[in-house]
Amino acid sequence: MKKVILAYSGGLDTSIILKWLLEKDYQVICFVADIGQQEDQQAVKEKALKIGAHKIYIEDLRQEFVDQFIFKALKANAIYEGKYYLGTALARPLIAKKQIEICQLENCSTVAHGATGKGNDQIRFELAYHTLMPGVEIISPWKDAEFLAQFKGRSDMIHYAQKMGIPITSTLQKPYSIDENLMHISFEGGVLENPEFAAPSDMFKHCIRPQDAPDKETEIAITFYQGVPIAVENFSTGEVIKESSVDLFTYLNKICGHHGIGRIDIVENRYVGMKSRGVYETPAGTVLWKAHLDLEGLVLDREVLHLKQMWMPKIAQLIYNGFWFSPEMDFLMSAIEKSQEHMEGRVFITLYKGNALITSRESAKSLYNQEIASMDVLGNYDQIDAKGFIKLNALRLKHFHSKKIKKEIHL
Amino acid sequence: MTLSITLEKIETTVVPQNLKVAVAFSGGLDSCLGIELLRRVYHASDIVAITVDVGQGDEEMHQVFHHAAALGITPLVIEAKKEFSDEWLTKAIRANSDYNGYPVSTSMTRQLVAKLVALKAKELNCQAILEGSTGKGNDQYRMHNVFKLFAPELDVLVPVRDFNLNRMEEQLLCQHWGIPISEQLVGGDDKTLWCRSIASGAIDLNQPIPDHVWMWRTPPIQAPETGEEVEIEFTSGIPVSLNNQKLPLDLLIAALNQLAGKHGIGLIDMFEDGIMELKSREIYEAPGAHVILKLHRDLEQQCLTKEEIQFKKGIDAKWAYLTYHGQWFSPLKEALDAFILKTQNMVNGSFKVRLYKGNIEILHRESSHSLFTPEIRSIKSTSFDQRWCNHAAKIKGLPFEILAKRQNKLQKGALS
């Protein structure tokens, strides 16, 4: 019997794919990745088995997701097109990796996923599959002519589900599609497809409207070590979260969302060549990225900081396009890791109505020298030195200008 | 691989029927076979063969008509030599056109051909365009982009892709149907004024290249024992005279191809990273381009500021990448052209060089826009008070003093 490992979410699409594969005489092993989506895993399991899955793996990948994926992106300050924190793009390679591990464990050579043929996720999944298991066979129903002929629209799917006794959950009525994990919730499609249309206010799950956020501010501090957060202190409540990175992240999601921080509404450029409108909630990510960037200002050497800044868009593009497992990503990340050696310290932040205001920062590895920079103290800096520095910088400019006056150079 | 299998493959493939089709006709194997397939398999209602002259030379244009006659067609010829040198090569020279060692040439002409064919096809109310790219190379992508920009409503037919044919199968079909072929090397030959590409995608790892394939180039070992001195003048980044004779760019490049080729200059034998991210070994012959690009870079180094030079390197690399990847007409590439053009006002000057057995040796430089100032820089001059440098060094060195402070502090911390 042909065997396949299906990346299963419990939603309508992957449930129908599960049934469709069974109809084609596959033995289907479902794999559910727990990456922090708030879902009843037991119900998902029962549903898969009821439809006819041979077996189901539910893997808690939250720790690996935070430590090996989110925090790596944080070290690089990776943001796609200046706005998107890559929440879904970071999760896909991890899901694919685990799915391939299960595939090998089960002595299987075929994997399936339910990403559509128009989006980025198909690319992120399939590039990772091919890289981690060369020769793997991939079933991607949304690119299969037979499947597409059978399911032309939403109504075909509902009809099929009813006929096959697949339970249809309430998510069906939602007029947009949702992807949730620890890093973010993304909304796209449906009513959001028109960028002129404002996102419905009842859509958001973590980040309340800044107008509805508390009138009282919350003071927190985030402690970093080697570029990653290791503790969060809430001075308003006295809470300290430091044992587990998953708890830390979850806690930040909660308090930052509560203060209305992290809503993002953008039009982005997909790898497949089209523009798409996406709305995201990234409360913890927004604040962590901001704090990390601030601490780098204090700790990193100027030249290292500037080079990192140049590479960042490339790293974000690689993650977005699905090249997490690639030689160029390894190459860039090794330099990023090196840059974070001394990245430790505390950043103090006030959360208030959609704002994360950095009020102060401290680090044992600071390169900031108060004595030299101060306007008051002379320090070890002779201001007369600046005269020579400027004179030499001006040599080139003076020469250029004199040529211009002599009309040898036309500007 | 027998003929009958190939014929069966062709007969069983479903392809569009009864269309009026414009053919980008080069006279090579693929476009000749394309004509025959249009008649026999696509059953085209009308065939319009279009040949674009981008400076492939008299011999090749002669061959176009010879092969066309054998196929019983009369190609419509569009003259584009002037457009190629004035609108394309000027931009390439100013951008130091270099895609990892390849001075991008076919990359440009394919897009120029595609634009002119698409516009003509629309004008003549064709319903599809056929082109003879190989299914493994770069040109299919370049031409597709341009077809879709200038004639988005027309179908694009690429026979090797449609029928999944390899070169052997194509040759069998040509023999079977009596189609003229005259390839020196399997893979063909793409000549342009700027650079000639030889047997693209067909050269094996250590396959030697026979001496008789060269059009311009004499291998250095056979080149004249006495070199030759040549004078070249640039205005706004473009070579405008050769040996004190003003020449239009196309004639100047043609003359340099002969001159520099004779002295063994112009071989490129490289691994190229294609659009499909596969490496291929590519052989090019580009004597004129070698000389012009070397001198253009040298002149920029003399006339542009340090910051312009550093920044322009990245811009040039991106320019070549976009051009190679079939994005000549993209908004980004056009924006880069504007930047590059702005920098070239200052790039004026002249050279005397010696061409000798593969070498281009610069003997003399002159530029009215030079930023070279020996009166300031030379260690022989007393142009400025060198004591200033003491201060400047202190300011430049400040970050290192601060790093040392952190290092000391951390070491003390580690000891205590």
Side-chain angles (χ1 to χ4, degrees), chain B residues 293-359:
Chain B
L293 292 176
K294 173 167 177 154
L295 298 183
H296 182 261
R297 275 189 210 103
D298 187 88
L299 191 57
E300 283 193 336
Q301 200 65 34
Q302 197 185 157
C303 300
L304 299 186
T305 63
K306 172 176 162 181
E307 297 302 323
E308 280 177 294
I309 286 165
Q310 291 297 322
F311 192 76
K312 189 169 178 288
K313 272 183 199 179
I315 300 295
D316 288 348
K318 188 75 187 179
W319 185 96
Y321 184 94
L322 291 172
T323 301
Y324 184 89
H325 286 74
Q327 304 199 35
W328 180 271
F329 296 104
S330 70
L332 176 57
K333 149 73 180 47
E334 287 179 358
L336 298 185
D337 279 332
F339 166 83
I340 290 167
L341 184 62
K342 173 72 186 165
T343 63
Q344 299 295 299
N345 292 341
M346 307 294 155
V347 185
N348 302 300
S350 58
F351 292 90
K352 188 197 272 181
V353 299
R354 183 189 287 126
L355 310 176
Y356 175 67
K357 284 186 178 289
N359 300 289

Side-chain angles (χ1 to χ4, degrees), chain A residues 271 299-302 323 342 363-369 371-372 380-382 384-393 395-396 398-400 403 408-411, chain B residues 277 303 305-308 342 345-346 367-373 375-376 384-385 388-396 398-399 401-403 405-407 409-410:
Chain A
Y271 192 25
V299 175
L300 291 196
D301 175 68
R302 179 183 70 188
F323 291 84
H342 295 301
S363 170
K365 302 284 182 75
S366 166
L367 284 177
Y368 184 86
N369 191 313
E371 274 175 42
I372 291 178
N380 192 25
Y381 179 97
D382 186 346
I384 293 166
D385 285 341
K387 203 164 149 187
F389 180 71
I390 294 166
K391 271 190 177 167
L392 285 173
N393 271 300
L395 262 181
R396 176 179 66 92
K398 278 199 299 196
H399 178 69
F400 189 72
K403 284 244 167 184
E408 286 173 26
I409 290 174
H410 308 282
L411 284 178
Chain B
E277 304 186 9
C303 300
T305 63
K306 172 176 162 181
E307 297 302 323
E308 280 177 294
K342 173 72 186 165
N345 292 341
M346 307 294 155
S367 168
S368 52
H369 291 69
S370 175
L371 288 173
F372 176 60
T373 50
E375 70 276 17
I376 299 178
F384 61 85
D385 187 339
W388 298 346
C389 294
N390 184 24
H391 304 294
K394 276 191 185 162
I395 302 275
K396 282 181 192 281
L398 198 57
E401 287 189 38
I402 296 173
L403 281 168
K405 275 191 186 203
R406 180 169 80 181
Q407 204 56 30
K409 200 168 87 182
L410 294 175

Side-chain angles (χ1 to χ4, degrees), chain A residues 26-233:
Chain A
Y26 277 96
Q27 183 190 83
V28 185
I29 296 173
C30 287
F31 156 58
V32 179
D34 177 5
I35 42 175
Q37 69 275 37
Q38 287 165 11
E39 219 164 41
D40 182 353
Q41 307 290 13
Q42 192 53 38
V44 171
K45 183 176 176 173
E46 279 164 17
K47 187 172 177 181
L49 294 174
K50 183 171 170 279
I51 293 171
H54 175 69
K55 198 196 256 187
I56 182 164
Y57 285 85
I58 298 178
E59 302 283 319
D60 181 359
L61 306 177
R62 291 176 304 159
Q63 188 76 42
E64 191 173 356
F65 184 43
V66 173
D67 295 345
Q68 300 303 321
F69 290 79
I70 297 175
F71 283 175
K72 277 193 176 162
L74 174 65
K75 287 174 183 173
N77 303 313
I79 295 185
Y80 184 65
E81 294 183 342
K83 288 168 264 183
Y84 172 45
Y85 289 88
L86 299 161
T88 300
L90 284 167
R92 297 307 185 200
L94 171 60
I95 296 171
K97 177 175 162 257
K98 194 48 86 179
Q99 191 178 357
I100 289 294
E101 280 171 25
I102 291 169
C103 188
Q104 283 162 338
L105 189 75
E106 288 284 345
N107 254 329
C108 175
S109 59
T110 310
V111 291
H113 68 79
T116 72
K118 282 189 168 185
N120 297 310
D121 288 329
Q122 53 169 345
I123 304 170
R124 295 167 183 154
F125 276 131
E126 293 182 29
L127 286 180
Y129 294 153
H130 285 301
T131 309
L132 300 173
M133 190 176 173
V136 67
E137 229 180 284
I138 299 167
I139 301 177
S140 168
W142 286 115
K143 292 195 283 287
D144 181 294
E146 199 189 319
F147 185 88
L148 289 169
Q150 191 175 347
F151 300 102
K152 289 194 192 71
R154 216 66 190 155
S155 60
D156 287 342
M157 300 182 71
I158 294 165
H159 185 71
Y160 180 83
Q162 283 164 346
K163 194 176 102 193
M164 295 295 175
I166 298 168
I168 300 169
T169 55
S170 61
T171 55
L172 233 184
Q173 280 91 50
K174 288 258 163 65
Y176 33 75
S177 89
I178 299 176
D179 179 59
E180 183 183 5
N181 62 43
L182 257 184
M183 180 70 172
H184 81 173
I185 305 184
S186 78
F187 306 90
E188 58 176 18
V191 295
L192 299 173
E193 269 171 13
N194 181 355
E196 292 174 14
F197 186 85
S201 55
D202 65 348
M203 182 180 82
F204 296 92
K205 196 166 161 186
H206 288 328
C207 307
I208 60 176
R209 274 199 329 158
Q211 295 91 318
D212 302 331
D215 288 329
K216 196 174 173 311
E217 39 193 47
T218 295
E219 312 259 350
I220 65 165
I222 302 175
T223 306
F224 287 87
Y225 183 71
Q226 298 192 338
V228 304
I230 52 165
V232 173
E233 296 158 83

Side-chain angles (χ1 to χ4, degrees), chain A residues 59 68 94 141 144 182 189 234 261 281 310 319 331 356 360 368:
Chain A
E59 302 283 319
Q68 300 303 321
L94 171 60
D144 181 294
L182 257 184
N234 182 336
I261 298 161
E281 296 183 75
M310 279 169 55
I319 297 172
F331 167 70
S360 60
Y368 184 86

